[in-house]
Amino acid sequence: MKRDRETGLHTTAGGRVETRKAIGKTSRRSIGVLLLIGLVAMALIAQACGKAEGKTTAAGGGSAEPANVPAVLNYGFIGTNKLNLPGSAEGWGLYKGIIQEELKKHGISEIKLTAFPNGPDQSESLISGRLDIGSLGDTPAILARSTGANTRLITQGAIESIGYLIGKKNGPTKLEDLKGKTIATQKGSFHHRYLAGLLKEKNITDVKVVHLLRVDGEAALARGEIDAMTSTGVYALKQVEQGYPLLDDATKHPDLIGTSATVVTEAYLKKFPDFPKVWNEARLKALNDLKSKPEEYYAFLAEVQGTTVELVKKSTSINGIKDVPFTDEGIKLLEGTKKFLVDEKLAEKDFDLKQWILK
């Protein structure tokens, strides 16, 4: 076997090239190339998995959003109307598309809205899983939680819900006249908590309390089938304008003022843990827009509530809509309401508010 001086390769006597050294050099080179290709492939796979498993929020932090955020958000609210929208900042944000635009950035392409006549009905849909999020009064939200509903409180958007007690025409003119009479309220709702607290405060025990939704209550009061009913906002003021006597309202009893509650199911939070932050930021953006257009907002609210702008302005204050999810005053009212419901055995069992509130 000879060694070629130019190539460094060895040849046999028959001229066949001996390639062992060349093969060794080529193999090492190939292995290096293959390792490089493998590393690049692994990096691409990791990047693809990262995109599939979550996407990073805007600069400044925030946890990654899971890929299984549902494209549809099921949202419930109180009050049926032709616009199928709630009031307050949430309603304005949905009306203007502000909330939809913000949620779309996080993978939510549709918000399905469902109106309910009262809070207990909405709570049933939250418990059953038909809703992901709901805005309702604090009393039905607390009562649902006391039964073990897997919800978390993420916002108290308003803390000035005023209850009214309206009497029938030519009937009671003061609270003492209600003894032995029939009063309609929406049991399990903010109305119910206001009425129960009022009757206890005034030591009025000889009354019959029946459950009627607002529209049914208004009709029954007009026919004289009941002696009084609870109401709220523009609906109560409209009755007063029509000549029904105002027997009481919660402004005289600060402890009986209600608050609103926005709750999210724990099942939904598992799919989208950052949802409370995203929702509250979208709500705040809607509120800031609302404050810049007060007259337009009042006109919107009048259409939602089927009344006049004048009545809306008398019953609603933009300043009452909170720009933070929780306030000390609001939580204090919430604690008082829960204590009352537990003490009066209206709530099934007590629970820790701190474990319910998600800040």
Side-chain angles (χ1 to χ4, degrees), residues 168-225:
K168 71 178 181 180
K169 294 177 180 179
N170 302 315
T173 57
K174 57 185 184 299
L175 292 175
E176 291 72 19
D177 295 337
L178 292 173
K179 291 183 179 180
K181 306 298 184 181
T182 300
I183 306 173
T185 192
Q186 299 180 42
K187 289 190 175 181
S189 71
F190 151 67
H191 298 246
H192 188 190
R193 184 272 190 272
Y194 159 66
L195 178 62
L198 177 64
L199 295 178
K200 182 179 181 181
E201 182 181 309
K202 298 299 181 180
N203 196 30
I204 301 174
T205 57
D206 185 22
V207 296
K208 181 181 180 181
V209 177
V210 298
H211 170 71
L212 287 175
L213 297 178
R214 179 183 60 81
V215 174
D216 296 329
E218 289 174 350
L221 193 69
R223 294 191 296 265
E225 297 171 353

Side-chain angles (χ1 to χ4, degrees), residues 20-21 31 35 94 108 127 153 166 169 178 187 193 201 235 240 281 321 324 327 329 341:
R20 283 179 296 178
K21 292 184 180 179
I31 290 170
L35 285 173
L94 292 165
I108 298 173
I127 292 170
L153 179 64
I166 308 296
K169 294 177 180 179
L178 292 173
K187 289 190 175 181
R193 184 272 190 272
E201 182 181 309
Y235 307 110
V240 172
E281 287 177 350
I321 307 174
V324 292
T327 62
E329 183 183 1
L341 295 172

Side-chain angles (χ1 to χ4, degrees), residues 311-323:
L311 272 182
V312 166
K313 288 183 176 181
K314 287 180 181 179
S315 66
T316 304
S317 169
I318 290 177
N319 294 330
I321 307 174
K322 300 304 177 184
D323 58 3

Side-chain angles (χ1 to χ4, degrees), residues 29 77 149 349 352:
R29 192 181 303 117
F77 63 94
K349 62 180 180 180
D352 187 352

